[in-house]
Amino acid sequence: MTGNIIAKSTARGIKRGGVKLSTKLLGPFGVFLQGAIKEPGMVGAVFPSSKSTIDNMMKKVDWENCKLVVEYGPGVGTFTHHLLKHLPADAQLLAIDTNAHYVEHLANTIADPRFKAVLGSATDVERIVKEAGHEFADIVISGLPISTLPEDVAEDMIDATYRVLKPGGAFLTYQYRLKARRLTEQAFDRIDKKYVLMNVPPNHLTWGWKAA
């Protein structure tokens, strides 16, 4: 089975009885609820992203030339599965989350050799990418609720994201508030933006591009 084996041992402190019960009754949503209870400040919304959000977010990516995609805050994998559908056979997806419950769930449910779930902080993305054997990422996509992060933490994360991207790479965010877009505008060379109404609640999509 693929995924981050270290995450399994890190997550042993979770009360497995409640996890198994919620998963059996509610499936991935039960896993989501368990994780939200543990770290409510790191969950962006109760409802998963809509197909409209996912399709619009993905269509600007040059998938054929991607070698490494990094996802911040994958949760139970709503976006993760779609990323893997687009990812070339020789590419890799690193999913980084601070919630051991979500990391364990992804490591146990996604049997794809291109995928690795990592327990850690997005501010450490440069180290995590290097430890995975890469120098740069092609795309970084974030589902983290950046508006809830302290300003200095959010700035450090976005600055690290800019550094870890290859020239021509992009930082993609889907958010319900505009803090992420403001910080992306400050750090990146160019941005594209879109507002998606077909989502609960409607959200702001932002692509921050690093100059080639």
Side-chain angles (χ1 to χ4, degrees), residues 58-69:
M58 302 286 196
K59 68 183 180 181
K60 287 183 178 285
V61 177
D62 179 12
W63 291 105
E64 290 184 2
N65 293 309
C66 279
K67 295 300 180 185
L68 176 64
V69 174

Side-chain angles (χ1 to χ4, degrees), residues 64-209:
E64 290 184 2
N65 293 309
C66 279
K67 295 300 180 185
L68 176 64
V69 174
V70 177
E71 182 181 11
Y72 298 159
V76 296
T78 301
F79 250 97
T80 309
H81 292 283
H82 290 274
L83 290 168
L84 288 169
K85 287 179 183 178
H86 287 79
L87 205 63
D90 61 345
Q92 185 177 22
L93 170 59
L94 295 178
I96 304 171
D97 207 303
T98 60
N99 192 315
H101 184 50
Y102 292 153
V103 170
E104 182 182 36
H105 170 73
L106 293 173
N108 285 333
T109 57
I110 299 181
D112 189 317
R114 300 170 300 168
F115 176 75
K116 183 177 182 180
V118 180
L119 182 64
S121 169
T123 58
D124 295 324
V125 62
E126 292 168 284
R127 174 184 58 79
I128 292 169
V129 164
K130 283 184 172 58
E131 288 178 353
H134 299 269
E135 186 175 1
F136 296 108
D138 297 272
I139 296 294
V140 176
I141 182 168
S142 178
L144 294 174
I146 293 174
S147 62
T148 69
L149 300 176
E151 189 80 6
D152 59 336
V153 174
E155 289 177 353
D156 287 348
M157 182 192 75
I158 291 177
D159 287 345
T161 301
Y162 183 89
R163 292 191 300 269
V164 84
L165 283 167
K166 73 174 187 180
F171 177 46
L172 287 55
T173 58
Y174 50 104
Q175 304 278 302
Y176 307 115
R177 298 181 182 177
L178 289 171
K179 180 177 179 178
R181 179 174 294 172
R182 173 175 59 81
L183 294 175
T184 302
E185 284 178 319
Q186 293 172 6
F188 282 77
D189 303 304
R190 176 174 66 85
I191 72 159
D192 292 325
K193 54 190 177 181
K194 186 178 182 66
Y195 187 59
V196 176
L197 286 170
M198 299 298 290
N199 197 82
V200 182
N203 60 17
H204 302 275
L205 312 187
T206 305
W207 297 260
W209 298 94

Side-chain angles (χ1 to χ4, degrees), residues 10-81:
T10 308
R12 284 173 187 165
I14 297 172
K15 294 182 179 178
R16 298 184 183 277
V19 172
K20 290 179 180 177
L21 178 61
S22 65
T23 302
K24 183 179 292 186
L25 292 177
L26 299 174
F29 187 67
V31 178
F32 171 83
L33 287 177
Q34 287 283 336
I37 290 169
K38 288 181 67 64
E39 294 188 48
M42 297 305 290
V43 175
V46 174
F47 298 99
S49 298
S50 69
K51 185 177 185 299
S52 179
T53 292
I54 294 168
D55 289 346
N56 276 285
M57 193 95 271
M58 302 286 196
K59 68 183 180 181
K60 287 183 178 285
V61 177
D62 179 12
W63 291 105
E64 290 184 2
N65 293 309
C66 279
K67 295 300 180 185
L68 176 64
V69 174
V70 177
E71 182 181 11
Y72 298 159
V76 296
T78 301
F79 250 97
T80 309
H81 292 283

